Amino acid sequence: MSSIAVPRVVAPRRTWSTDLPVLLVAVVWGASYLAAKDITTARTVLAVLVLRFALVLPVLAVVGHRKLRALTAAQWRGAALLGLILAGIFLLETYGVVHTSATNAGLIISLTMIFTPLAESAVTRTRPSRAFLGAAALSVLGVLLLTQGAGFSRPSLGDLLMLLAALARTLHVLAMSRVKSVRGADALPLTTVQLGAAVGVFALLSAGADTTPWATAADFGPREWAGLVFLSVFCTLFAFFVQMWAVRRTSPSRVSLLLGTEPLWAAAAGIALGGERLGAFGLAGGVLVLVGTAWGRGAAR
C-alpha cells in the first residue's frame, strides 16, 4: 500500500546504504496488506482508514508547514483533486484486502506497473512495443491463474476490488502528470494536502457507518494497535521520508526498481506469516505476474 511522493531526477549513486532503506520500504509495503487484513473487517474499513492517516497527518503538516503556506490556491485545488482519487484507491485496496488474501492483493495491485504505460500510450496515441504487450499479456494471464487458487472458479469480490484499485492507481499517476497546477509543487506539501483530502472523505463516509473511528480504537487490543502503528508510522510516514531522501541520493529508476519488489514481499508475508496457500494454479499465476511486471517495467523504459 504505497505512498505518493514524486521523485526528482538526480545523478545516480548506487550504494547499499541508499538501496537498503528503499528495499525496506518495499518490504513494509508488501507486509501492509497482511497487516491491514489482520486489523480490519468490512465494518471497520472506514474507521481504520481515518485512524491510519489521522495519526501521521499532523506530523506531515508540522514538518512541512512553511511549504504548505507557499502553495498557491490552484496547487491546493489540484492536490485536493488528487486526494479524492487517492481516497478511492485506499477504499478499494482496503475493502479488497478484507475480501481476498494478502498474497492476491499484493500481486494484483502490481498490475499498475502494466496499466500505467498502457494508459500513457492511449493518451499520447503511441503504440506500445511488442515486448511490452507480451509482458502485459503474461501479467493478465498470471492474474487469471492467481485468482483461481486450487481450481477454476469466479474471482472473489476482493480480487475484483484490487483490480479496480490498480486501475485507480493508474488514474492517479496520470492525473499527477497532467494536472498542471501540481507539476512544480514540492512532494511534502502535495502529499500532505492529498492525505488531508482523503482523510476528509473517510471521515465524512464514516459519519454514517455502523462504527466510528473512536469506537473502533476503543475496541483495539495490543495486536490491533501494533498493526495500526505499523501501517501509519512505517508504511506511510517512514516510507514517504525514505523516498524523499533516496531520490536525492540515487536515480528515480533505481528507486522504482527496488520498490517494484513490493508484490514479492506481499506474497512472502502472506505465505510465511499469514499461512496463506496459493495452490498449483495460484503459484503459477503469481510467478507469471512477477515475471510479467518485471519484464514490462524494463520494456517500458
Side-chain angles (χ1 to χ4, degrees):
M1 290 185 175
S2 56
S3 185
I4 48 175
V6 182
R8 295 179 178 177
V9 177
V10 294
R13 182 169 49 177
R14 300 179 180 180
T15 63
W16 278 108
S17 64
T18 304
D19 287 352
L20 282 176
V22 177
L23 188 61
L24 184 57
V25 170
V27 173
V28 298
W29 276 353
S32 69
Y33 299 99
L34 183 61
K37 186 176 182 65
D38 192 45
I39 69 170
T40 313
T41 67
R43 292 180 63 252
T44 62
V45 166
L46 291 169
V48 169
L49 285 172
V50 171
L51 293 170
R52 172 181 175 177
F53 295 109
L55 286 178
V56 300
L57 193 58
V59 177
L60 292 175
V62 169
V63 172
H65 69 281
R66 292 183 180 176
K67 293 182 179 180
L68 277 172
R69 290 203 303 266
L71 291 179
T72 65
Q75 288 174 328
W76 274 89
R77 289 193 297 270
L81 174 62
L82 292 174
L84 296 180
I85 301 174
L86 188 67
I89 294 172
F90 280 111
L91 285 169
L92 289 167
E93 285 185 354
T94 311
Y95 275 111
V97 79
V98 167
H99 294 287
T100 190
S101 67
T103 303
N104 277 24
L107 290 170
I108 292 173
I109 201 67
S110 69
L111 286 178
T112 303
M113 290 182 278
I114 295 296
F115 290 158
T116 301
L118 286 176
E120 288 176 336
S121 295
V123 170
T124 58
R125 297 182 181 180
T126 58
R127 183 179 179 84
S129 67
R130 290 184 179 180
F132 183 82
L133 291 176
L138 192 67
S139 298
V140 171
L141 175 60
V143 168
L144 290 176
L145 291 175
L146 177 69
T147 58
Q148 301 313 307
F152 286 100
S153 61
R154 290 183 179 181
S156 70
L157 172 62
D159 294 332
L160 295 176
L161 289 174
M162 294 308 301
L163 188 60
L164 290 174
L167 291 171
R169 278 196 186 190
T170 298
L171 175 62
H172 187 260
V173 172
L174 290 180
M176 290 189 74
S177 65
R178 292 188 168 270
V179 176
K180 294 181 179 179
S181 62
V182 302
R183 288 181 184 174
D186 188 270
L188 177 55
L190 179 62
T191 300
T192 304
V193 175
Q194 287 186 77
L195 289 181
V199 170
V201 171
F202 303 147
L204 185 63
L205 293 176
S206 67
D210 295 336
T211 181
T212 66
W214 330 121
T216 300
D219 290 337
F220 274 0
R223 180 187 180 95
E224 288 78 15
W225 274 109
L228 182 64
V229 169
F230 174 75
L231 290 171
S232 298
V233 176
F234 291 95
C235 300
T236 305
L237 196 62
F238 167 77
F240 171 75
F241 282 109
V242 166
Q243 285 181 91
M244 288 194 67
W245 169 80
V247 295
R248 287 166 171 80
R249 295 172 59 88
T250 186
S251 69
S253 296
R254 183 72 171 177
V255 173
S256 176
L257 180 65
L258 292 167
L259 295 181
T261 64
E262 175 190 346
L264 178 63
W265 301 111
I271 294 171
L273 303 178
E276 298 175 353
R277 295 294 179 266
L278 289 176
F281 286 116
L283 182 60
V287 171
L288 289 180
V289 169
L290 292 173
V291 172
T293 52
W295 180 19
R297 195 164 56 245
R301 288 199 298 271

